[in-house]
């Protein structure tokens, strides 16, 4: 590429990366608001989260289109092509996190509109905070292209999986002790599963950061060690 074309390419790619981070901020807000609607019983907040999902979807479509155009127009070199492909995968995971946030909001709305007594959700809040932390740290890794910090995020996913299993055991006990709570408890299970999936998507995104930086695909290979070559 000419120097001018190269500078324009860098500007275009920088703009796309900034929009990915903005999308990440939106989905993080969606998760927080969905969990707040569960813990406070604010059905109007649930409705807001559900209605805002289209914004996440629109950002995915726009970013995918711009990444495709960048490949066609600029024919980037291998390392930059790696970046663009990883961004497209990251955007897909962010959209799916948005879907999980919408699912949490729908379950919260169902619980509170029925007026039933929900099982304690303190553990769910704790798991959600852990998943949000994973997402935020992954976005920071993406912004700084920090492969070592991304490896730490990948290892932390096991903690959310453990919390999900603990919540599931508690809810099974709750349902056995009082069958009238089965419908509500099952919806809490779906919420806990959505939180676990958010952790999985954040882990995927951390793996893409390592792929960008190292050119190494660490999917299905276990958590890499910090400072790996």
């Amino acid at each position: 590429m000419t120097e001018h074309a190269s500078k324009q390419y860098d500007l275009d790619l920088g703009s796309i990366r900034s929009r990915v981070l903005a999308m990440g901020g939106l989905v993080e807000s969606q998760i927080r608001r969905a969990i707040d609607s569960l813990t406070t019983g604010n059905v109007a907040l649930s409705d807001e989260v559900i209605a805002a999902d289209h914004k996440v979807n629109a950002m995915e479509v726009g970013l995918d289109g711009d990444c495709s155009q960048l490949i066609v127009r600029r024919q980037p070199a291998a390392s930059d092509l790696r970046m663009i492909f990883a961004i497209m995968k990251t955007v897909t995971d962010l959209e799916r996190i948005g879907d999980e946030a919408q699912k949490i909001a729908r379950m919260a709305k169902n619980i509170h509109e029925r007026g039933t007594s929900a099982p304690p959700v303190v553990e769910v809040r704790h798991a959600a905070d852990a998943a949000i932390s994973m997402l935020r740290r992954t976005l920071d890794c993406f912004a700084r292209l920090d492969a070592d910090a991304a490896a730490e995020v990948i290892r932390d996913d096991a903690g959310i999986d453990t919390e999900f299993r603990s919540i599931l055991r508690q809810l099974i006990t709750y349902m056995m002790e009082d069958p009238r709570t089965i419908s509500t408890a099952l919806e809490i299970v779906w919420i806990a599963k959505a939180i676990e999936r958010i952790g999985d998507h954040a882990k995927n995104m951390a793996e893409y950061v390592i792929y960008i930086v190292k050119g190494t695909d660490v999917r299905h290979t276990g958590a890499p060690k910090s400072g790996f070559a």
Side-chain angles (χ1 to χ4, degrees), residues 112-130:
H112 294 298
E113 281 189 336
R114 276 202 312 270
T116 53
S117 176
V121 292
V122 175
E123 296 84 356
V124 171
R125 163 72 78 172
H126 186 268
D129 286 343

Side-chain angles (χ1 to χ4, degrees), residues 126-135 155-167 192-200 202:
H126 186 268
D129 286 343
I132 290 168
S133 174
M134 277 186 69
L135 173 61
R155 287 193 293 274
D156 286 350
D157 182 55
I160 294 180
D161 294 342
T162 299
E163 288 206 43
F164 170 70
R165 290 190 293 270
S166 174
I167 292 168
K193 184 62 180 176
I195 292 168
E196 189 220 14
R197 292 294 300 138
I198 289 168
D200 289 341

Side-chain angles (χ1 to χ4, degrees), residues 40-112:
T40 65
N42 187 339
V43 174
L45 186 56
S46 298
D47 286 334
E48 289 175 13
V49 173
I50 293 165
D53 186 59
H54 75 93
K55 295 179 183 178
V56 178
N57 296 341
M59 292 179 87
E60 180 197 21
V61 171
L63 281 162
D64 271 351
D66 288 349
C67 284
S68 297
Q69 285 297 312
L70 199 59
I71 293 171
V72 171
R73 291 200 318 267
R74 304 299 180 189
Q75 298 180 346
S79 60
D80 286 334
L81 197 58
R82 219 163 54 216
M83 166 76 80
I84 296 170
F85 283 149
I87 285 173
M88 294 174 78
K89 286 178 174 290
T90 295
V91 166
T92 297
D93 276 287
L94 285 173
E95 189 276 332
R96 289 175 180 167
I97 289 174
D99 288 344
E100 299 298 341
Q102 184 187 54
K103 187 184 300 179
I104 292 169
R106 288 187 185 280
M107 295 299 103
K109 181 178 180 179
N110 290 344
I111 290 168
H112 294 298

Side-chain angles (χ1 to χ4, degrees), residues 10-24:
D10 289 341
L11 288 172
D12 290 344
L13 187 57
S15 173
I16 287 171
R17 291 184 64 197
S18 295
R19 286 161 56 203
V20 171
L21 294 171
M23 185 179 179

